[in-house]
Amino acid sequence: MGDTDVTTDANAPWLIVGLGNPGPDYAMNRHNVGFMVADLLAERIGGKFKRAGKAQAQVIEGRIGPPGPANRRVILAKPMSYMNLSGGPVNALRDFYKVPVANIVAVHDELDIDYGVLRLKLGGGDNGHNGLKSMTKAMGPDYHRVRFGIGRPPGRQQVADFVLKDFSSTERKELGYFVDRAADAVESLVIEGLERAQSTYNS
């Protein structure tokens, strides 16, 4: 299976992809929570995003984890295509950095989970999420997901309108805490593995 194998190589880099839409108009949308988590992880690493060569993405290279065998090389990425075209930039980065599919983590909003709740998993469907749909079309489904719950739209509001609206004033009171926790979950997944991370963060 080569680089589509679901086993992980301890020496291979990890590609952490925050999903979202580029530009200030989208910055605080529910659909952009993946970018928010990526930005926080970038702060922790101490780097700044830069354009990634021919790939339509911004990246930071760095390391997370304590010194020693648990230390991991990571590439943080924010695709600069729009959400429904995320697969192309991610696949280009996967090829360039030689990342196994099982070492890719997509951080994204999830409608079917209550606001602020996290679910970590490997593989599965896209549940109508256009970013995941594009990634799966480009490289298959066997990558990790950190799913950040945003809940369902109230009343008769359309899903497309809901995800492209900013978090409400009530939601924003806790948003920083939830983004911080999601960044912790990503680090746990990469350093400790999926099972340990799930036991801590799949609340």
Side-chain angles (χ1 to χ4, degrees):
M1 294 285 288
D3 59 9
T4 61
D5 196 341
V6 297
T7 59
T8 55
D9 176 355
N11 296 315
W14 284 76
L15 176 58
I16 301 166
V17 181
L19 293 179
N21 287 308
D25 290 345
Y26 299 99
M28 290 304 296
N29 287 182
R30 294 181 179 93
H31 222 20
N32 268 46
V33 74
F35 273 19
M36 297 175 199
V37 175
D39 285 339
L40 179 56
L41 287 166
E43 285 181 31
R44 293 182 180 185
I45 288 174
K48 290 187 177 181
F49 281 102
K50 61 182 181 182
R51 200 77 182 191
K54 294 180 180 179
Q56 199 175 359
Q58 293 183 349
V59 299
I60 295 173
E61 296 179 57
R63 305 192 76 88
I64 63 173
N71 192 260
R72 299 282 184 264
R73 180 184 170 217
V74 298
I75 299 98
L76 291 177
K78 296 193 295 185
M80 291 290 108
S81 60
Y82 285 91
M83 179 71 86
N84 60 355
L85 299 174
S86 300
V90 175
N91 206 33
L93 293 172
R94 175 182 78 93
D95 286 343
F96 181 78
Y97 289 104
K98 297 179 171 54
V99 180
V101 171
N103 278 30
I104 297 173
V105 183
V107 187
H108 63 93
D109 58 303
E110 179 61 63
L111 286 161
D112 286 338
I113 303 174
D114 289 341
Y115 174 59
V117 174
L118 298 176
R119 291 285 185 272
L120 284 66
K121 70 173 186 174
L122 173 65
D126 57 61
N127 202 26
H129 192 288
N130 287 331
L132 297 183
K133 192 176 295 184
S134 180
M135 285 182 61
T136 296
K137 184 178 180 181
M139 67 190 73
D142 296 325
Y143 52 91
H144 288 86
R145 299 103 187 275
V146 173
R147 305 158 72 204
F148 186 110
I150 60 170
R152 281 274 166 186
R156 297 183 179 180
Q157 186 177 8
Q158 295 294 311
V159 165
D161 292 336
F162 179 70
V163 300
L164 292 175
K165 288 283 193 300
D166 289 358
F167 284 100
S168 70
S169 56
T170 300
E171 289 169 331
R172 285 199 296 270
K173 291 176 183 176
E174 294 185 291
L175 182 59
Y177 168 77
F178 289 140
V179 168
D180 190 71
R181 192 165 185 270
D184 290 345
V186 172
E187 291 183 345
S188 175
L189 169 59
V190 170
I191 296 165
E192 301 178 304
L194 178 61
E195 196 171 317
R196 290 282 296 275
Q198 284 176 323
S199 69
T200 302
Y201 294 98
N202 278 20
S203 53

